[in-house]
Amino acid sequence: MPKFDRWTLLFSLNSFVAAMLALWIGFAVGLPRPYWAMTTAYIVSQPLAGAVRSKALYRVLGTVLGGAAAVAMVPNLVNAPVLLCLALALWVGACLTISLLDRTPRSYVLMLAGYTAAIIGFPAVSQPGAIFDLAVWRVVEIGLGIICATLVHSLVFPRPVGTVLRARLGAWLGEADRWALDVLKGADEQAFARDRQHLAAAASEIQMLATHLPFDTTRLRETTGVVRALHERLLILIPLLSGLADRMLALKDVQDPAARRALDAVIAWIEAGADRGPGLELIDHLKAEAATRRGGDWNALLVESLLVRLAETVQALGEGHALMTRLANPDAPLSPNLAAATANAARRRMHSDLPLALLSGAAAAIAVLLSCGIWIVSGWGDGASAPVMAAVFCCFFAAMDDPVPAIRSFGIFTLVSLPLSALYMFAVLPAIDGYPLLVLTLAPPLLFIGLFIPNPKTMGAALATLMGFCNALALQETFSADFASFLNVNLGQFVGLGAAIFVTAAMRSMSIDAGARRLLSRTWKNLARLARSSRAPEPAAFAAALVDRLGLLTPKLAAVGPRHDLVGVDVLRDLRVGMNLVTVQTARGDLSGPARASLDAVLDGVGDHYAALSAGRRAPPHAELLAKVDQALSRLGETAFVPNGALGGVTGLVGLRRNLFPDAPAFNPEPAA
């Protein structure tokens, strides 16, 4: 059951008002299909006002683009039905492929352009001369629904994106503080797992919320650069805190007095509020203390690496709190470095999979062609709805590992809505007269179904039921109930549903473990490419890509079951390895001679290791790579080196050794030849 809180009730009421306003205007101006405006108002409605506006803009653009494509194809190919079907199917597949490469709300433009061309084009085959008018009416009807939804959700007690985003960022920063304290105080592994899962799961959610921020009306819209800079710091904190926990585990109870004092100082600083000013002094102290540990044994190297990670953690947390203060008070001052960071903060790329996107596009195109074949061969007059719904179903759920259960569920809830639609069409609506009575009779089911839309777990079922109900009624200015037409049109939906399920199951569906393996393979390929690169990437950009993938992988690995061979995979370890590689790559520029040659040998070995894993081959012997890492540590342990490069190189190599070889014996430094 839905949660009957203030925002859920208000959302359902606002959505209903927007839909009824769109329907009334559609009746008043004589639109051919005013129910499309009503349905669109529900589809565009979102719990957050900024999300409604961004979705509205993208839907208008997608509708116009899809309508233009239909106008270009139908008149020129109507005399060659096979070519027309092929052209529309390829358009749907191409638009879907491109949209899947961008997981932000912008992808809605091309996805909608794909199936909008099908919605306009296939029914227009019987009247190609009217295609331009049909496309214009379609754009007007959808535009009307969009305008009504945007106005109502923006004017009637709007829920701003900025308020929700600021609260989510504050909670995330608080969770980062708690994770850091758990690590530094030696909490158990269960607490670590809980903290890092919360942070990783929230990373992509916050990035998605931030994409709606430019459409918000709060003052936070002016601080988009601050939000992105804060997001970067929080992304960096995930591998930093994970690496810090790894070093604490390796050292167990830290006996070194200076290191113990450093840990206590950082704990006290975080508990005092992680203020940026004292944090800068603490960073200088930690780096100076780390510089005194060079050239020692394995424990000394671990302590050095621990101190460096502490300094980096203090910097990221301090900058995060300073940026959070700026969000709470846009007039609060920022240091010159942070001000420059907010000005240059970029929107980070999210994970994309071109081969899978191409396969999804091909499956959509083939499902549309299969539905067209059934329509043409059978000579079915109302069969145009079959390829239309095949396109819609394939596009809606293409981002899932296995879209078939979701498509089937959508079809089931659409089927559930039909008896209610039939009851209204043949028993309720003939007994009423006038628009006010129509609104009163539609209110109970629409208001009740609307309560389920804000909940992500029930949104799909609610929208399927609502869309099935509204489209089956096909409300127009003049009411007519034709049972044969009602059955014919709705039967076409399920033919398209069957085609979408059949083709998707044959071509596109993959199990959860196959999806996890695919993501792991992409991660390992990226690590191999990074190890062999001639220069280090920007840390925040690299962390953003891996953390996004981590957020996708974590639920998959949790769902494969306790006996699956993927259970032992530690995605966070790969993230730590990646950040250590960035550190080592950065250090190479400050080194020369034997020290740089030894780092190059390590990077080549790590690249071979992950290239083999990504290709499903046996990795090269660990003993060889371990020897290269130890030799590089020995080289950097000598006194003749550039300080900054050696410090970064030691930190990165210690991290690589701990993560790639957790059970290896302690490092014993050997004199360089």
Side-chain angles (χ1 to χ4, degrees):
M1 292 295 294
K3 292 168 58 179
F4 293 100
D5 58 21
R6 172 195 173 193
W7 292 113
T8 301
L9 293 170
L10 183 61
F11 171 82
S12 181
L13 180 60
N14 280 353
S15 300
F16 178 73
V17 170
M20 293 301 99
L21 177 62
L23 184 63
W24 177 75
I25 296 174
F27 286 156
V29 301
L31 294 179
R33 297 183 178 181
Y35 64 92
W36 278 3
M38 176 179 71
T39 306
T40 299
Y42 266 106
I43 294 174
V44 173
S45 294
Q46 298 285 306
L48 302 179
V52 175
R53 286 187 285 273
S54 69
K55 193 173 184 180
L57 174 63
Y58 297 137
R59 189 171 181 87
V60 167
L61 294 175
T63 302
V64 171
L65 183 57
V71 170
M73 284 185 274
V74 172
N76 293 308
L77 299 174
V78 70
N79 293 323
V82 175
L83 286 179
L84 176 59
C85 292
L86 180 61
L88 285 171
L90 290 176
W91 172 261
V92 172
C95 289
L96 177 60
T97 298
I98 298 173
S99 73
L100 289 175
L101 298 178
D102 182 359
R103 288 175 39 238
T104 69
R106 290 190 307 266
S107 64
Y108 198 50
V109 174
L110 280 171
M111 185 181 76
L112 192 70
Y115 67 74
T116 296
I119 290 174
I120 297 174
F122 286 119
V125 169
S126 59
Q127 42 182 336
I131 181 63
F132 183 79
D133 291 337
L134 290 174
V136 169
W137 285 126
R138 173 66 170 166
V139 172
V140 170
E141 287 153 357
I142 286 183
L144 174 61
I146 290 170
I147 291 172
C148 291
T150 303
L151 286 176
V152 172
H153 284 284
S154 299
L155 298 177
V156 183
F157 300 108
R159 191 180 186 189
V161 171
T163 304
V164 176
L165 180 59
R166 183 162 49 204
R168 194 67 192 94
L169 283 167
W172 198 23
L173 190 57
E175 289 173 355
D177 287 342
R178 183 169 59 250
W179 186 11
L181 290 173
D182 286 343
V183 169
L184 298 174
K185 292 180 178 180
D188 57 23
E189 179 59 29
Q190 186 175 1
F192 295 166
R194 177 202 65 210
D195 295 334
R196 70 189 180 217
Q197 285 174 4
H198 286 173
L199 287 178
S204 296
E205 175 196 350
I206 288 175
Q207 179 154 333
M208 293 295 285
L209 280 173
T211 61
H212 299 300
L213 194 56
F215 299 90
D216 207 26
T217 55
T218 63
R219 195 176 177 187
L220 195 64
R221 179 182 59 180
E222 303 170 3
T223 60
T224 301
V226 178
V227 171
R228 289 178 183 167
L230 177 55
H231 188 240
E232 289 178 357
R233 270 68 186 168
L234 296 176
L235 286 173
I236 290 292
L237 276 170
I238 295 176
L240 276 181
L241 292 174
S242 178
L244 195 59
D246 180 71
R247 280 145 182 84
M248 293 289 292
L249 182 64
L251 289 165
K252 295 183 179 176
D253 297 325
V254 180
Q255 303 296 329
D256 185 274
R260 186 68 261 174
R261 287 194 300 270
L263 289 172
D264 293 340
V266 175
I267 290 172
W269 175 75
I270 295 174
E271 290 178 339
D275 187 65
R276 172 90 171 131
L280 293 174
E281 299 176 5
L282 186 55
I283 291 170
D284 292 339
H285 170 72
L286 291 169
K287 288 183 176 179
E289 188 64 35
T292 66
R293 306 302 171 121
R294 300 171 186 168
D297 59 11
W298 178 236
N299 278 340
L301 288 174
L302 284 174
V303 170
E304 175 191 342
S305 182
L306 172 68
L307 292 170
V308 172
R309 285 288 180 257
L310 280 173
E312 293 172 344
T313 301
V314 169
Q315 180 172 346
L317 275 177
E319 290 179 349
H321 279 275
L323 290 167
M324 195 67 219
T325 301
R326 179 62 175 265
L327 286 183
N329 178 16
D331 295 324
L334 283 178
S335 67
N337 289 340
L338 280 182
T342 60
N344 298 324
R347 182 176 293 166
R348 300 300 178 189
R349 289 188 60 187
M350 304 176 76
H351 167 76
S352 61
D353 190 335
L354 178 58
L356 192 60
L358 289 169
L359 189 62
S360 299
I366 293 174
V368 171
L369 286 174
L370 178 61
S371 302
C372 288
I374 296 172
W375 172 31
I376 294 172
V377 171
S378 65
W380 183 8
D382 292 324
S385 58
V388 168
M389 297 312 297
V392 170
F393 286 129
C394 288
C395 290
F396 270 9
F397 307 105
M400 298 180 174
D401 284 333
D402 185 4
V404 169
I407 297 175
R408 188 183 296 119
S409 174
F410 198 98
I412 289 172
F413 281 99
T414 302
L415 183 63
V416 166
S417 72
L418 293 184
L420 179 63
S421 305
L423 174 66
Y424 264 75
M425 177 167 282
F426 301 109
V428 177
L429 295 183
I432 67 171
D433 183 24
Y435 183 75
L437 280 179
L438 176 64
V439 172
L440 288 176
T441 56
L442 290 177
L446 293 183
L447 286 172
F448 179 71
I449 297 171
L451 295 173
F452 293 86
I453 296 177
N455 186 348
K457 294 181 179 179
T458 56
M459 178 187 291
L463 282 177
T465 306
L466 192 145
M467 290 171 63
F469 176 71
C470 293
N471 289 333
L473 289 182
L475 293 172
Q476 295 175 308
E477 189 175 3
T478 302
F479 176 75
S480 63
D482 184 346
F483 188 72
S485 176
F486 177 83
L487 285 181
N488 238 332
V489 172
N490 286 290
L491 179 61
Q493 292 188 49
F494 292 98
V495 171
L497 173 76
I501 290 176
F502 175 75
V503 175
T504 301
M507 289 184 58
R508 168 63 183 77
S509 293
M510 66 174 69
S511 61
I512 293 178
D513 63 305
R517 290 181 191 281
R518 189 177 186 87
L519 283 170
L520 282 171
S521 177
R522 295 293 299 276
T523 300
W524 293 335
K525 285 180 181 177
N526 282 5
L527 291 175
R529 192 179 304 116
L530 171 61
R532 293 165 173 171
S533 175
S534 59
R535 61 178 183 176
E538 198 265 315
F542 186 78
L546 283 190
V547 169
D548 182 45
R549 204 169 287 140
L550 172 65
L552 297 174
L553 262 170
T554 300
K556 297 180 192 298
L557 294 176
V560 295
R563 298 182 180 179
H564 202 280
D565 62 343
L566 287 176
V567 169
V569 173
D570 186 354
V571 188
L572 208 54
R573 179 179 296 168
D574 291 332
L575 176 59
R576 294 196 300 268
V577 168
M579 297 310 292
N580 285 316
L581 284 173
V582 172
T583 303
V584 172
Q585 286 277 27
T586 303
R588 289 174 69 247
D590 292 331
L591 298 171
S592 61
R596 177 158 184 165
S598 63
L599 278 190
D600 290 342
V602 170
L603 292 172
D604 289 340
V606 174
D608 293 341
H609 172 80
Y610 280 105
L613 288 179
S614 66
R617 304 191 307 269
R618 183 185 298 275
H622 283 186
E624 295 180 8
L625 182 53
L626 178 60
K628 292 178 181 179
V629 173
D630 286 351
Q631 185 182 43
L633 280 170
S634 296
R635 293 286 186 268
L636 294 181
E638 297 297 310
T639 57
F641 51 67
V642 178
N644 291 336
L647 186 60
V650 167
T651 303
L653 288 172
V654 169
L656 284 176
R657 196 180 195 278
R658 278 287 306 158
N659 288 296
L660 290 175
F661 315 107
D663 300 323
F667 165 69
N668 292 313
E670 299 176 1

